[in-house]
Amino acid sequence: MASTVSFSPAVGANVQHSRRRASLLRPVSRARPVAARASADRDGAAAAVQARSGRTIEECEADAVAGKFPAPPPFSRPPAPSGTPEIRPLDMPKRPRRNRRSPVLRAAFQETSIAPANLVLPLFIHEGEEDTPIGAMPGCFRLGWRHGLLDEVYKSRDVGVNSFVLFPKVPDGLKTQTGDEAYNDNGLVPRTIRLLKDKYPDIVIYTDVALDPYSSDGHDGIVREDGVIMNDETVHQLCKQAVSQARAGADVVSPSDMMDGRVGAIRAALDAEGFHDVSIMSYTAKYASSFYGPFREALDSNPRFGDKKTYQMNPANCREALIETAADEAEGADILLVKPGLPYLDIIRLLRDNSALPIAAYQVSGEYSMIKAGGVLKMVDEEKVMMESLLCLRRAGADVILTYFARQAANVLAGGAARPSKQL
């Protein structure tokens, strides 16, 4: 064993001391001091440096202190493809592509971002226990208010979506010309609000304030015998509806009816009942659009006759949105909404540039269904188009987006793959 131990006694040490030191030694092959290993590692690294450059680290540092630096390598540019014309570079002091040349630079200079907090998920609810698929809106369901709804909210909160807006499918037997079921304190929407607030008290619940789900005529207001939509009488009903929703626990009531003066009247009604903290998100610029078709199938709320052009805005008009904006601001709106979303990016920007209030955009059912259909037919990449469309709404100026893609998009933002809002 002595032959395996490497040891040389110090010069001048006595024999007894040497024997005592030798008795403490162990074979090198079984244990090596940490300091010796670290020293060996440093020596190996220094040797590697010296092997590459022929000079030690100490020599390189000394030259750097003295201002002696090695010559830079010769500049070379990767060759262009064969046949590329040889030209004189353009005289351009500004080249915007410089800020787009790498993923890190593009991320650093990105002007618009989107997060789950910007998303509000619309939920269709009904009295039944089962979840019913909506044919025109793949992945969307009429949710049973006791079970399916709670499951959908749970899954949405899991990926960061904490804001929801409720739309009821009301049984035909409860629909009347005056829409009285809209302010039934034990109706479908108030019951659902109370259930959600009991289960998830921290979520934000938006509601829809309009008569069309409750009207036997399918219009957002009371219809006179000659077909005229009555404004002031409808507003009276809407005020009772908003108060009923606030009493149930709604955080934000959202008049979508487009009656004149309804924001001020609802604000006064809420304040009179002590609901000073309940916000109003006004559908400020809601257009008489053809993009609403799938939504009306979901709620079975198509007008029994005519259209909604006497109260919803003309898609050809832009300046009119400023009139609605000024009126809603003066009447006490807290949030201004534009509907639809993508076809009306200019209106979103118009409101953003002319109001300090938060701006909401509704990516409506027609927009959702077109993207879904394009994905199924392999015409577009559904996930990429979904995310781009939402980013465009944010870029135009929307602070929050009502979208049926909310949970799918939030899942993508969390690093997962997009999944339908409701799993089959």
Side-chain angles (χ1 to χ4, degrees):
M1 292 295 293
S3 62
T4 64
V5 179
S6 175
F7 172 67
S8 298
V11 177
N14 59 49
V15 176
Q16 183 179 2
H17 179 64
S18 299
R19 288 175 180 172
R20 185 166 59 251
R21 292 186 59 191
S23 69
L24 298 174
L25 294 175
R26 296 290 184 273
V28 174
S29 60
R30 294 185 61 185
R32 176 175 296 173
V34 175
R37 184 167 63 249
S39 176
D41 291 344
R42 285 196 301 270
D43 292 344
V49 172
Q50 189 169 13
R52 288 194 299 270
S53 65
R55 304 169 68 239
T56 66
I57 292 177
E58 288 77 8
E59 290 172 335
C60 292
E61 290 178 346
D63 282 351
V65 171
K68 300 176 182 178
F69 302 102
F75 174 77
S76 63
R77 193 185 301 275
S82 176
T84 300
E86 295 184 8
I87 63 169
R88 178 182 176 184
L90 298 174
D91 185 12
M92 294 176 60
K94 295 183 178 180
R95 290 181 179 260
R97 282 187 58 190
R98 286 194 283 257
N99 289 342
R100 301 195 291 263
R101 69 181 184 273
S102 77
V104 173
L105 284 172
R106 290 194 295 273
F109 303 135
Q110 180 167 319
E111 300 172 19
T112 305
S113 62
I114 188 168
N118 303 121
L119 306 176
V120 179
L121 176 61
L123 297 172
F124 300 112
I125 55 175
H126 70 150
E127 293 284 4
E129 296 291 330
E130 299 298 323
D131 300 338
T132 306
I134 300 169
M137 300 179 67
C140 290
F141 291 71
R142 293 175 186 163
L143 301 169
W145 72 279
R146 292 179 184 272
H147 303 294
L149 172 70
L150 294 178
D151 182 60
E152 182 67 17
V153 172
Y154 175 84
K155 291 177 180 177
S156 299
R157 291 177 75 248
D158 192 49
V159 290
V161 176
N162 290 291
S163 297
F164 306 89
V165 57
L166 302 175
F167 294 101
K169 164 62 176 73
V170 178
D172 289 344
L174 294 177
K175 295 181 180 181
T176 62
Q177 286 187 302
T178 53
D180 296 343
E181 179 65 18
Y183 51 86
N184 177 3
D185 284 343
N186 199 37
L188 177 58
V189 170
R191 274 184 279 125
T192 301
I193 296 171
R194 290 194 294 268
L195 177 67
L196 287 175
K197 280 297 185 178
D198 180 65
K199 184 72 174 178
Y200 307 112
D202 59 328
I203 66 172
V204 173
I205 297 178
Y206 294 71
T207 60
D208 179 52
V209 178
L211 296 187
D212 53 328
Y214 310 90
S215 169
S216 54
D217 292 315
H219 276 281
D220 291 40
I222 299 173
V223 183
R224 206 167 60 190
E225 287 187 0
D226 60 356
V228 171
I229 310 301
M230 304 176 73
N231 191 94
D232 296 10
E233 292 80 0
T234 295
V235 170
H236 179 78
Q237 299 289 76
L238 298 178
C239 289
K240 291 190 285 186
Q241 182 183 16
V243 169
S244 176
Q245 294 171 350
R247 189 179 295 123
D251 299 287
V252 184
V253 296
S254 311
S256 63
D257 56 289
M258 292 300 290
M259 299 296 127
D260 293 337
R262 89 276 202 209
V263 172
I266 290 173
R267 181 74 272 162
L270 290 172
D271 291 350
E273 294 292 329
F275 297 114
H276 305 281
D277 294 334
V278 174
S279 301
I280 297 176
M281 178 175 73
S282 172
Y283 282 56
T284 296
K286 181 179 180 181
Y287 285 84
S289 172
S290 300
F291 283 87
Y292 303 150
F295 177 93
R296 290 174 181 167
E297 175 187 323
L299 295 187
D300 189 22
S301 61
N302 278 302
R304 186 173 59 83
F305 64 91
D307 53 42
K308 301 188 176 186
K309 293 181 179 179
T310 65
Y311 46 101
Q312 294 179 358
M313 289 175 56
N314 185 342
N317 291 358
C318 176
R319 296 191 305 272
E320 186 180 4
L322 294 178
I323 298 173
E324 296 285 355
T325 298
D328 287 353
E329 281 194 331
E331 292 175 23
D334 300 285
I335 308 165
L336 309 178
L337 182 140
V338 176
K339 182 181 181 181
L342 283 178
Y344 295 83
L345 292 176
D346 60 324
I347 307 302
I348 297 172
R349 172 51 56 183
L350 181 70
L351 267 62
R352 172 74 292 147
D353 290 342
N354 287 276
S355 177
L357 291 177
I359 304 300
Y362 200 142
Q363 186 179 50
V364 299
S365 57
E367 300 172 65
Y368 170 86
S369 296
M370 286 194 300
I371 294 174
K372 281 288 185 182
V376 169
L377 296 174
K378 306 299 182 184
M379 293 180 174
V380 297
D381 184 313
E382 179 186 319
E383 180 179 313
K384 290 181 179 178
V385 172
M386 169 186 72
M387 297 308 296
E388 182 179 342
S389 67
L390 296 173
L391 194 65
C392 290
L393 291 167
R394 288 275 293 149
R395 187 197 64 227
D399 298 288
V400 294
I401 303 168
L402 283 66
T403 174
Y404 306 99
F405 284 121
R407 180 154 75 89
Q408 287 180 253
N411 196 68
V412 172
L413 293 169
R419 299 193 190 99
S421 179
K422 168 77 179 175
Q423 296 298 313
L424 290 170

